[in-house]
Amino acid sequence: MRQYEPDRPTPVELAAVRRSLRSGRAAMTRRSLMGGALAVGGIGALSACGIPAAGKSQGGVSADDHSEKEKVVNFSNWPEYIDVDDSEQHHPTLDAFRKRTGIKVTYTEDINDNDEFFGKIQPQLAAGQDTGRDLIVLTDWLAARMIRLGYVQKLDASNLPHAFANLSDQFRSPDWDPGRAYSYPWQGISTVIAFNKKALDGVEVKSMSDLLDNPALKGRVGLLTEMRDTVGMTMLDMDKDPAKFTDDDYDAVIARLQKAVDKGQIRRFTGNDYTSDLSKGDLAACVAWAGDIVQLQADNPDVAYVIPDSGYMTSTDNMLIPNKARHKTNAERLIDYYYEPGPAAELAAYINYVSPVADVKPYLAKIDESAADNPLIVPDKAMQAKSHAFRSLSSKEETAYQQQFAKLTGA
């Protein structure tokens, strides 16, 4: 496929880009587009650096908990992934937490890429040292790896009454952390089919089959460079379960995608930069992240989305407590705080991703009624029933699947 240089994005498209950074997706897709070694070499490359093989969990390692004497939580998160006030100097929910508990949150936006951050903290974790962080937010596939490697601590359920009670059923028991023993979602991320009504000019788009097969869309379709999203959505369209697929299933999906590439159906594989093309109509339809679509719709009434009858992919960014954290109890109290509907609603109103808190809707409606009624932010039961998660991968699978997908995309 030829290289394509998009036009300069508009301010609203830049806002969507910034919000996409929160999910980790933008960082991962940049890495894929740059042909990063970890996207292809995956865990094999990491294993060569002395990281234990996946699946050989050492178990979480605790430290002396200084929470009682040191009223602090050191919290690392993605850029622009929390509420801010008009001055852009304060985070209202964190300020409220400090006033209530006396615990100060030292909040740092130092996670720009999952693999990059893992490389930063791995030497300390492997050496049994404190990373200086009490709470971190990682995308589900890396959270799974951290748990397998024994790099995070098991949570104390007695400190998490709201989290246990209010976690949405949609996110309650992923295969990589059954029962949420080690993690709780910060936010959910939905993958949908988006389209520009004006660019479609009457062409109907309801499924991945429409994107991949309809000749009326030739050269005007976008797919994501994030493997789990593009492959997962195609699996669902082919009546295969992303939670249970085999190597043969994966090969069949790659073959179908390759056919679409070969016949020129796909304009390009993108990171979150699809927002510019979609808004202008250069892309008639694409696989997209719901958080971006919420933002684009505010500025462009031609942008719309559809949830295929076959379902859609969902993933999470997750809060975890690394080994040797000094303030485990304080970190657990902060996790639990964000599962109270009030703080959860404030967070959702600002960042517009899927809230993992089951009873958030009436609280969110008091802040922003349109957000509360938006199923991309608060999925109803019918939408939740259509959500699917990509299963955990072994190190061997991750390496092989990423290599196949990189070849497909030309990365």
Side-chain angles (χ1 to χ4, degrees), residues 327-371:
H327 312 105
K328 181 174 183 286
T329 298
N330 290 345
E332 289 167 339
R333 292 183 68 182
L334 184 60
I335 293 171
D336 196 61
Y337 168 75
Y338 277 108
Y339 275 82
E340 296 179 26
E346 291 184 58
L347 184 63
Y350 188 82
I351 64 178
N352 293 159
Y353 274 82
V354 179
S355 175
V357 178
D359 298 323
V360 75
K361 185 171 182 175
Y363 294 83
L364 181 55
K366 295 177 182 179
I367 304 171
D368 185 340
E369 191 169 347
S370 65

mmCIF file of all heavy atoms in Angstrom, residues 327-371:
data_model
loop_
_atom_site.group_PDB
_atom_site.id
_atom_site.type_symbol
_atom_site.label_atom_id
_atom_site.label_comp_id
_atom_site.label_asym_id
_atom_site.label_seq_id
_atom_site.Cartn_x
_atom_site.Cartn_y
_atom_site.Cartn_z
ATOM 1 N N HIS A 327 2.880 2.041 49.796
ATOM 2 C CA HIS A 327 1.612 2.546 50.314
ATOM 3 C C HIS A 327 0.441 1.760 49.720
ATOM 4 O O HIS A 327 -0.477 2.328 49.130
ATOM 5 C CB HIS A 327 1.484 4.041 50.002
ATOM 6 C CG HIS A 327 2.697 4.832 50.363
ATOM 7 N ND1 HIS A 327 3.597 5.299 49.423
ATOM 8 C CD2 HIS A 327 3.188 5.196 51.577
ATOM 9 C CE1 HIS A 327 4.572 5.948 50.036
ATOM 10 N NE2 HIS A 327 4.356 5.903 51.347
ATOM 11 N N LYS A 328 0.470 0.461 49.903
ATOM 12 C CA LYS A 328 -0.521 -0.415 49.286
ATOM 13 C C LYS A 328 -1.940 -0.106 49.758
ATOM 14 O O LYS A 328 -2.870 -0.002 48.951
ATOM 15 C CB LYS A 328 -0.183 -1.879 49.573
ATOM 16 C CG LYS A 328 -1.146 -2.894 48.955
ATOM 17 C CD LYS A 328 -0.642 -4.309 49.183
ATOM 18 C CE LYS A 328 -1.548 -5.343 48.504
ATOM 19 N NZ LYS A 328 -2.818 -5.513 49.231
ATOM 20 N N THR A 329 -2.136 0.037 51.045
ATOM 21 C CA THR A 329 -3.477 0.298 51.568
ATOM 22 C C THR A 329 -4.007 1.625 51.053
ATOM 23 O O THR A 329 -5.186 1.725 50.672
ATOM 24 C CB THR A 329 -3.474 0.285 53.100
ATOM 25 O OG1 THR A 329 -3.073 -1.006 53.563
ATOM 26 C CG2 THR A 329 -4.860 0.594 53.655
ATOM 27 N N ASN A 330 -3.169 2.649 51.014
ATOM 28 C CA ASN A 330 -3.598 3.937 50.487
ATOM 29 C C ASN A 330 -3.986 3.817 49.017
ATOM 30 O O ASN A 330 -4.965 4.431 48.571
ATOM 31 C CB ASN A 330 -2.488 4.979 50.647
ATOM 32 C CG ASN A 330 -2.256 5.370 52.094
ATOM 33 O OD1 ASN A 330 -3.079 5.086 52.967
ATOM 34 N ND2 ASN A 330 -1.131 6.018 52.363
ATOM 35 N N ALA A 331 -3.222 3.044 48.264
ATOM 36 C CA ALA A 331 -3.534 2.839 46.846
ATOM 37 C C ALA A 331 -4.871 2.121 46.685
ATOM 38 O O ALA A 331 -5.672 2.463 45.807
ATOM 39 C CB ALA A 331 -2.416 2.052 46.172
ATOM 40 N N GLU A 332 -5.126 1.142 47.530
ATOM 41 C CA GLU A 332 -6.403 0.430 47.469
ATOM 42 C C GLU A 332 -7.561 1.355 47.817
ATOM 43 O O GLU A 332 -8.644 1.267 47.213
ATOM 44 C CB GLU A 332 -6.365 -0.780 48.405
ATOM 45 C CG GLU A 332 -5.452 -1.885 47.887
ATOM 46 C CD GLU A 332 -5.140 -2.948 48.920
ATOM 47 O OE1 GLU A 332 -5.286 -2.666 50.136
ATOM 48 O OE2 GLU A 332 -4.732 -4.054 48.520
ATOM 49 N N ARG A 333 -7.353 2.247 48.745
ATOM 50 C CA ARG A 333 -8.400 3.210 49.084
ATOM 51 C C ARG A 333 -8.693 4.144 47.902
ATOM 52 O O ARG A 333 -9.848 4.524 47.671
ATOM 53 C CB ARG A 333 -8.006 4.021 50.323
ATOM 54 C CG ARG A 333 -7.962 3.204 51.600
ATOM 55 C CD ARG A 333 -7.630 4.067 52.808
ATOM 56 N NE ARG A 333 -8.716 4.998 53.122
ATOM 57 C CZ ARG A 333 -8.656 5.887 54.112
ATOM 58 N NH1 ARG A 333 -7.558 5.963 54.878
ATOM 59 N NH2 ARG A 333 -9.673 6.703 54.349
ATOM 60 N N LEU A 334 -7.666 4.480 47.143
ATOM 61 C CA LEU A 334 -7.868 5.325 45.968
ATOM 62 C C LEU A 334 -8.605 4.561 44.870
ATOM 63 O O LEU A 334 -9.509 5.106 44.214
ATOM 64 C CB LEU A 334 -6.528 5.841 45.451
ATOM 65 C CG LEU A 334 -6.608 6.812 44.267
ATOM 66 C CD1 LEU A 334 -7.405 8.064 44.638
ATOM 67 C CD2 LEU A 334 -5.207 7.201 43.793
ATOM 68 N N ILE A 335 -8.239 3.303 44.659
ATOM 69 C CA ILE A 335 -8.977 2.475 43.697
ATOM 70 C C ILE A 335 -10.451 2.436 44.076
ATOM 71 O O ILE A 335 -11.346 2.653 43.244
ATOM 72 C CB ILE A 335 -8.415 1.042 43.656
ATOM 73 C CG1 ILE A 335 -6.993 1.026 43.071
ATOM 74 C CG2 ILE A 335 -9.326 0.124 42.833
ATOM 75 C CD1 ILE A 335 -6.303 -0.323 43.193
ATOM 76 N N ASP A 336 -10.709 2.167 45.346
ATOM 77 C CA ASP A 336 -12.089 2.041 45.806
ATOM 78 C C ASP A 336 -12.851 3.351 45.660
ATOM 79 O O ASP A 336 -14.050 3.347 45.336
ATOM 80 C CB ASP A 336 -12.110 1.588 47.263
ATOM 81 C CG ASP A 336 -13.463 1.061 47.689
ATOM 82 O OD1 ASP A 336 -13.923 0.063 47.092
ATOM 83 O OD2 ASP A 336 -14.069 1.651 48.602
ATOM 84 N N TYR A 337 -12.180 4.464 45.869
ATOM 85 C CA TYR A 337 -12.799 5.788 45.743
ATOM 86 C C TYR A 337 -13.372 6.001 44.353
ATOM 87 O O TYR A 337 -14.485 6.524 44.193
ATOM 88 C CB TYR A 337 -11.748 6.835 46.077
ATOM 89 C CG TYR A 337 -12.112 8.257 45.729
ATOM 90 C CD1 TYR A 337 -13.030 8.970 46.492
ATOM 91 C CD2 TYR A 337 -11.501 8.903 44.657
ATOM 92 C CE1 TYR A 337 -13.344 10.293 46.192
ATOM 93 C CE2 TYR A 337 -11.797 10.223 44.351
ATOM 94 C CZ TYR A 337 -12.716 10.908 45.118
ATOM 95 O OH TYR A 337 -13.016 12.213 44.814
ATOM 96 N N TYR A 338 -12.646 5.565 43.332
ATOM 97 C CA TYR A 338 -13.105 5.769 41.962
ATOM 98 C C TYR A 338 -14.206 4.790 41.559
ATOM 99 O O TYR A 338 -14.728 4.880 40.441
ATOM 100 C CB TYR A 338 -11.934 5.701 40.985
ATOM 101 C CG TYR A 338 -11.200 7.025 40.902
ATOM 102 C CD1 TYR A 338 -9.936 7.188 41.459
ATOM 103 C CD2 TYR A 338 -11.802 8.119 40.296
ATOM 104 C CE1 TYR A 338 -9.287 8.404 41.402
ATOM 105 C CE2 TYR A 338 -11.154 9.344 40.231
ATOM 106 C CZ TYR A 338 -9.901 9.487 40.788
ATOM 107 O OH TYR A 338 -9.267 10.704 40.729
ATOM 108 N N TYR A 339 -14.572 3.897 42.472
ATOM 109 C CA TYR A 339 -15.735 3.040 42.244
ATOM 110 C C TYR A 339 -16.959 3.506 43.016
ATOM 111 O O TYR A 339 -18.005 2.868 42.968
ATOM 112 C CB TYR A 339 -15.388 1.577 42.544
ATOM 113 C CG TYR A 339 -14.761 0.944 41.330
ATOM 114 C CD1 TYR A 339 -13.411 1.112 41.059
ATOM 115 C CD2 TYR A 339 -15.533 0.254 40.413
ATOM 116 C CE1 TYR A 339 -12.832 0.582 39.909
ATOM 117 C CE2 TYR A 339 -14.974 -0.275 39.256
ATOM 118 C CZ TYR A 339 -13.620 -0.111 39.012
ATOM 119 O OH TYR A 339 -13.075 -0.623 37.874
ATOM 120 N N GLU A 340 -16.847 4.630 43.690
ATOM 121 C CA GLU A 340 -18.034 5.304 44.190
ATOM 122 C C GLU A 340 -18.673 6.018 42.998
ATOM 123 O O GLU A 340 -17.971 6.652 42.195
ATOM 124 C CB GLU A 340 -17.675 6.299 45.287
ATOM 125 C CG GLU A 340 -17.086 5.658 46.533
ATOM 126 C CD GLU A 340 -16.717 6.704 47.581
ATOM 127 O OE1 GLU A 340 -17.344 7.790 47.570
ATOM 128 O OE2 GLU A 340 -15.806 6.453 48.380
ATOM 129 N N PRO A 341 -19.981 5.950 42.836
ATOM 130 C CA PRO A 341 -20.601 6.522 41.637
ATOM 131 C C PRO A 341 -20.339 8.005 41.425
ATOM 132 O O PRO A 341 -20.213 8.453 40.284
ATOM 133 C CB PRO A 341 -22.096 6.247 41.854
ATOM 134 C CG PRO A 341 -22.127 5.040 42.737
ATOM 135 C CD PRO A 341 -20.945 5.185 43.652
ATOM 136 N N GLY A 342 -20.227 8.778 42.506
ATOM 137 C CA GLY A 342 -19.996 10.217 42.366
ATOM 138 C C GLY A 342 -18.667 10.530 41.692
ATOM 139 O O GLY A 342 -18.636 11.184 40.628
ATOM 140 N N PRO A 343 -17.542 10.114 42.275
ATOM 141 C CA PRO A 343 -16.249 10.347 41.617
ATOM 142 C C PRO A 343 -16.161 9.696 40.239
ATOM 143 O O PRO A 343 -15.567 10.257 39.313
ATOM 144 C CB PRO A 343 -15.249 9.728 42.594
ATOM 145 C CG PRO A 343 -15.928 9.790 43.916
ATOM 146 C CD PRO A 343 -17.374 9.564 43.628
ATOM 147 N N ALA A 344 -16.749 8.505 40.084
ATOM 148 C CA ALA A 344 -16.733 7.836 38.784
ATOM 149 C C ALA A 344 -17.438 8.673 37.729
ATOM 150 O O ALA A 344 -17.004 8.755 36.570
ATOM 151 C CB ALA A 344 -17.389 6.459 38.891
ATOM 152 N N ALA A 345 -18.553 9.313 38.116
ATOM 153 C CA ALA A 345 -19.293 10.157 37.182
ATOM 154 C C ALA A 345 -18.489 11.388 36.792
ATOM 155 O O ALA A 345 -18.474 11.794 35.625
ATOM 156 C CB ALA A 345 -20.624 10.569 37.805
ATOM 157 N N GLU A 346 -17.814 12.006 37.757
ATOM 158 C CA GLU A 346 -16.980 13.171 37.446
ATOM 159 C C GLU A 346 -15.886 12.808 36.456
ATOM 160 O O GLU A 346 -15.597 13.563 35.516
ATOM 161 C CB GLU A 346 -16.369 13.736 38.732
ATOM 162 C CG GLU A 346 -17.358 14.378 39.674
ATOM 163 C CD GLU A 346 -16.664 15.008 40.870
ATOM 164 O OE1 GLU A 346 -15.801 15.888 40.654
ATOM 165 O OE2 GLU A 346 -16.962 14.613 42.015
ATOM 166 N N LEU A 347 -15.281 11.648 36.662
ATOM 167 C CA LEU A 347 -14.225 11.194 35.758
ATOM 168 C C LEU A 347 -14.788 10.928 34.363
ATOM 169 O O LEU A 347 -14.231 11.380 33.357
ATOM 170 C CB LEU A 347 -13.575 9.926 36.320
ATOM 171 C CG LEU A 347 -12.385 9.354 35.556
ATOM 172 C CD1 LEU A 347 -11.224 10.335 35.555
ATOM 173 C CD2 LEU A 347 -11.959 8.019 36.170
ATOM 174 N N ALA A 348 -15.908 10.219 34.286
ATOM 175 C CA ALA A 348 -16.502 9.882 32.989
ATOM 176 C C ALA A 348 -16.948 11.119 32.233
ATOM 177 O O ALA A 348 -16.828 11.181 31.004
ATOM 178 C CB ALA A 348 -17.675 8.931 33.197
ATOM 179 N N ALA A 349 -17.473 12.095 32.945
ATOM 180 C CA ALA A 349 -17.949 13.311 32.295
ATOM 181 C C ALA A 349 -16.803 14.052 31.616
ATOM 182 O O ALA A 349 -17.008 14.712 30.590
ATOM 183 C CB ALA A 349 -18.619 14.222 33.315
ATOM 184 N N TYR A 350 -15.621 13.916 32.167
ATOM 185 C CA TYR A 350 -14.492 14.638 31.599
ATOM 186 C C TYR A 350 -13.802 13.877 30.479
ATOM 187 O O TYR A 350 -13.439 14.461 29.460
ATOM 188 C CB TYR A 350 -13.463 14.992 32.693
ATOM 189 C CG TYR A 350 -12.383 15.894 32.160
ATOM 190 C CD1 TYR A 350 -12.588 17.270 32.059
ATOM 191 C CD2 TYR A 350 -11.177 15.381 31.711
ATOM 192 C CE1 TYR A 350 -11.621 18.104 31.533
ATOM 193 C CE2 TYR A 350 -10.199 16.196 31.180
ATOM 194 C CZ TYR A 350 -10.425 17.558 31.088
ATOM 195 O OH TYR A 350 -9.466 18.384 30.551
ATOM 196 N N ILE A 351 -13.594 12.558 30.644
ATOM 197 C CA ILE A 351 -12.761 11.855 29.672
ATOM 198 C C ILE A 351 -13.539 11.081 28.615
ATOM 199 O O ILE A 351 -12.986 10.705 27.585
ATOM 200 C CB ILE A 351 -11.742 10.934 30.362
ATOM 201 C CG1 ILE A 351 -12.426 9.819 31.138
ATOM 202 C CG2 ILE A 351 -10.839 11.721 31.267
ATOM 203 C CD1 ILE A 351 -11.439 8.864 31.777
ATOM 204 N N ASN A 352 -14.834 10.814 28.854
ATOM 205 C CA ASN A 352 -15.724 10.259 27.814
ATOM 206 C C ASN A 352 -15.394 8.851 27.341
ATOM 207 O O ASN A 352 -15.787 8.472 26.227
ATOM 208 C CB ASN A 352 -15.772 11.187 26.599
ATOM 209 C CG ASN A 352 -16.446 12.514 26.891
ATOM 210 O OD1 ASN A 352 -16.251 13.480 26.189
ATOM 211 N ND2 ASN A 352 -17.255 12.570 27.941
ATOM 212 N N TYR A 353 -14.691 8.069 28.143
ATOM 213 C CA TYR A 353 -14.530 6.651 27.829
ATOM 214 C C TYR A 353 -15.535 5.851 28.659
ATOM 215 O O TYR A 353 -16.312 6.405 29.424
ATOM 216 C CB TYR A 353 -13.086 6.198 28.063
ATOM 217 C CG TYR A 353 -12.218 6.460 26.858
ATOM 218 C CD1 TYR A 353 -11.670 7.713 26.621
ATOM 219 C CD2 TYR A 353 -11.977 5.457 25.925
ATOM 220 C CE1 TYR A 353 -10.905 7.965 25.502
ATOM 221 C CE2 TYR A 353 -11.207 5.690 24.797
ATOM 222 C CZ TYR A 353 -10.671 6.953 24.589
ATOM 223 O OH TYR A 353 -9.921 7.186 23.468
ATOM 224 N N VAL A 354 -15.532 4.537 28.492
ATOM 225 C CA VAL A 354 -16.542 3.701 29.139
ATOM 226 C C VAL A 354 -16.281 3.612 30.634
ATOM 227 O O VAL A 354 -15.216 3.148 31.058
ATOM 228 C CB VAL A 354 -16.553 2.290 28.529
ATOM 229 C CG1 VAL A 354 -17.592 1.416 29.230
ATOM 230 C CG2 VAL A 354 -16.841 2.351 27.029
ATOM 231 N N SER A 355 -17.238 4.017 31.423
ATOM 232 C CA SER A 355 -17.092 3.901 32.866
ATOM 233 C C SER A 355 -17.285 2.444 33.281
ATOM 234 O O SER A 355 -18.244 1.792 32.865
ATOM 235 C CB SER A 355 -18.115 4.770 33.590
ATOM 236 O OG SER A 355 -18.038 4.545 34.998
ATOM 237 N N PRO A 356 -16.388 1.910 34.124
ATOM 238 C CA PRO A 356 -16.544 0.528 34.583
ATOM 239 C C PRO A 356 -17.457 0.393 35.795
ATOM 240 O O PRO A 356 -17.591 -0.690 36.346
ATOM 241 C CB PRO A 356 -15.111 0.131 34.950
ATOM 242 C CG PRO A 356 -14.503 1.406 35.449
ATOM 243 C CD PRO A 356 -15.117 2.503 34.614
ATOM 244 N N VAL A 357 -18.087 1.499 36.194
ATOM 245 C CA VAL A 357 -18.917 1.513 37.405
ATOM 246 C C VAL A 357 -20.383 1.330 37.022
ATOM 247 O O VAL A 357 -20.945 2.099 36.235
ATOM 248 C CB VAL A 357 -18.715 2.821 38.185
ATOM 249 C CG1 VAL A 357 -19.617 2.870 39.415
ATOM 250 C CG2 VAL A 357 -17.244 2.946 38.601
ATOM 251 N N ALA A 358 -20.999 0.323 37.591
ATOM 252 C CA ALA A 358 -22.329 -0.107 37.154
ATOM 253 C C ALA A 358 -23.411 0.947 37.376
ATOM 254 O O ALA A 358 -24.304 1.110 36.549
ATOM 255 C CB ALA A 358 -22.700 -1.411 37.861
ATOM 256 N N ASP A 359 -23.377 1.663 38.470
ATOM 257 C CA ASP A 359 -24.467 2.573 38.816
ATOM 258 C C ASP A 359 -24.133 4.035 38.558
ATOM 259 O O ASP A 359 -24.668 4.929 39.220
ATOM 260 C CB ASP A 359 -24.832 2.387 40.287
ATOM 261 C CG ASP A 359 -25.335 0.988 40.587
ATOM 262 O OD1 ASP A 359 -26.039 0.418 39.725
ATOM 263 O OD2 ASP A 359 -25.011 0.462 41.668
ATOM 264 N N VAL A 360 -23.301 4.293 37.578
ATOM 265 C CA VAL A 360 -22.822 5.656 37.366
ATOM 266 C C VAL A 360 -23.836 6.539 36.651
ATOM 267 O O VAL A 360 -23.798 7.773 36.778
ATOM 268 C CB VAL A 360 -21.479 5.621 36.586
ATOM 269 C CG1 VAL A 360 -21.721 5.295 35.120
ATOM 270 C CG2 VAL A 360 -20.727 6.926 36.744
ATOM 271 N N LYS A 361 -24.758 5.972 35.897
ATOM 272 C CA LYS A 361 -25.602 6.767 34.994
ATOM 273 C C LYS A 361 -26.372 7.897 35.680
ATOM 274 O O LYS A 361 -26.316 9.046 35.216
ATOM 275 C CB LYS A 361 -26.552 5.851 34.218
ATOM 276 C CG LYS A 361 -27.371 6.604 33.187
ATOM 277 C CD LYS A 361 -28.145 5.671 32.278
ATOM 278 C CE LYS A 361 -28.908 6.459 31.222
ATOM 279 N NZ LYS A 361 -29.576 5.577 30.234
ATOM 280 N N PRO A 362 -27.130 7.668 36.749
ATOM 281 C CA PRO A 362 -27.885 8.787 37.344
ATOM 282 C C PRO A 362 -26.983 9.882 37.896
ATOM 283 O O PRO A 362 -27.366 11.056 37.894
ATOM 284 C CB PRO A 362 -28.697 8.116 38.453
ATOM 285 C CG PRO A 362 -28.024 6.815 38.715
ATOM 286 C CD PRO A 362 -27.427 6.392 37.418
ATOM 287 N N TYR A 363 -25.797 9.515 38.350
ATOM 288 C CA TYR A 363 -24.855 10.515 38.855
ATOM 289 C C TYR A 363 -24.265 11.322 37.699
ATOM 290 O O TYR A 363 -24.089 12.537 37.800
ATOM 291 C CB TYR A 363 -23.737 9.834 39.648
ATOM 292 C CG TYR A 363 -24.217 9.183 40.921
ATOM 293 C CD1 TYR A 363 -24.785 7.912 40.911
ATOM 294 C CD2 TYR A 363 -24.119 9.841 42.137
ATOM 295 C CE1 TYR A 363 -25.239 7.309 42.074
ATOM 296 C CE2 TYR A 363 -24.567 9.253 43.317
ATOM 297 C CZ TYR A 363 -25.131 7.984 43.270
ATOM 298 O OH TYR A 363 -25.585 7.402 44.435
ATOM 299 N N LEU A 364 -23.988 10.626 36.595
ATOM 300 C CA LEU A 364 -23.454 11.311 35.418
ATOM 301 C C LEU A 364 -24.504 12.230 34.810
ATOM 302 O O LEU A 364 -24.172 13.322 34.313
ATOM 303 C CB LEU A 364 -22.984 10.277 34.395
ATOM 304 C CG LEU A 364 -22.355 10.792 33.094
ATOM 305 C CD1 LEU A 364 -21.183 11.719 33.376
ATOM 306 C CD2 LEU A 364 -21.923 9.617 32.227
ATOM 307 N N ALA A 365 -25.769 11.842 34.859
ATOM 308 C CA ALA A 365 -26.841 12.660 34.292
ATOM 309 C C ALA A 365 -26.935 14.019 34.978
ATOM 310 O O ALA A 365 -27.320 15.017 34.358
ATOM 311 C CB ALA A 365 -28.172 11.914 34.397
ATOM 312 N N LYS A 366 -26.583 14.089 36.261
ATOM 313 C CA LYS A 366 -26.610 15.363 36.983
ATOM 314 C C LYS A 366 -25.518 16.305 36.487
ATOM 315 O O LYS A 366 -25.624 17.523 36.650
ATOM 316 C CB LYS A 366 -26.434 15.106 38.483
ATOM 317 C CG LYS A 366 -27.587 14.333 39.115
ATOM 318 C CD LYS A 366 -27.308 14.056 40.588
ATOM 319 C CE LYS A 366 -28.428 13.238 41.212
ATOM 320 N NZ LYS A 366 -28.163 12.926 42.643
ATOM 321 N N ILE A 367 -24.468 15.730 35.899
ATOM 322 C CA ILE A 367 -23.355 16.533 35.392
ATOM 323 C C ILE A 367 -23.512 16.815 33.907
ATOM 324 O O ILE A 367 -23.342 17.945 33.441
ATOM 325 C CB ILE A 367 -22.015 15.809 35.643
ATOM 326 C CG1 ILE A 367 -21.843 15.497 37.129
ATOM 327 C CG2 ILE A 367 -20.838 16.635 35.125
ATOM 328 C CD1 ILE A 367 -20.656 14.584 37.420
ATOM 329 N N ASP A 368 -23.859 15.767 33.154
ATOM 330 C CA ASP A 368 -23.951 15.866 31.695
ATOM 331 C C ASP A 368 -24.956 14.816 31.225
ATOM 332 O O ASP A 368 -24.629 13.644 31.094
ATOM 333 C CB ASP A 368 -22.580 15.639 31.052
ATOM 334 C CG ASP A 368 -22.587 15.856 29.548
ATOM 335 O OD1 ASP A 368 -23.669 15.817 28.937
ATOM 336 O OD2 ASP A 368 -21.488 16.049 28.981
ATOM 337 N N GLU A 369 -26.179 15.259 30.962
ATOM 338 C CA GLU A 369 -27.239 14.315 30.604
ATOM 339 C C GLU A 369 -26.957 13.606 29.283
ATOM 340 O O GLU A 369 -27.252 12.416 29.130
ATOM 341 C CB GLU A 369 -28.578 15.048 30.525
ATOM 342 C CG GLU A 369 -29.772 14.119 30.429
ATOM 343 C CD GLU A 369 -31.091 14.837 30.622
ATOM 344 O OE1 GLU A 369 -31.068 15.996 31.073
ATOM 345 O OE2 GLU A 369 -32.139 14.227 30.318
ATOM 346 N N SER A 370 -26.365 14.320 28.335
ATOM 347 C CA SER A 370 -26.068 13.700 27.040
ATOM 348 C C SER A 370 -25.031 12.601 27.178
ATOM 349 O O SER A 370 -25.107 11.568 26.498
ATOM 350 C CB SER A 370 -25.595 14.757 26.043
ATOM 351 O OG SER A 370 -24.360 15.333 26.444
ATOM 352 N N ALA A 371 -24.057 12.802 28.059
ATOM 353 C CA ALA A 371 -23.049 11.763 28.296
ATOM 354 C C ALA A 371 -23.680 10.547 28.954
ATOM 355 O O ALA A 371 -23.359 9.402 28.617
ATOM 356 C CB ALA A 371 -21.923 12.315 29.166
#
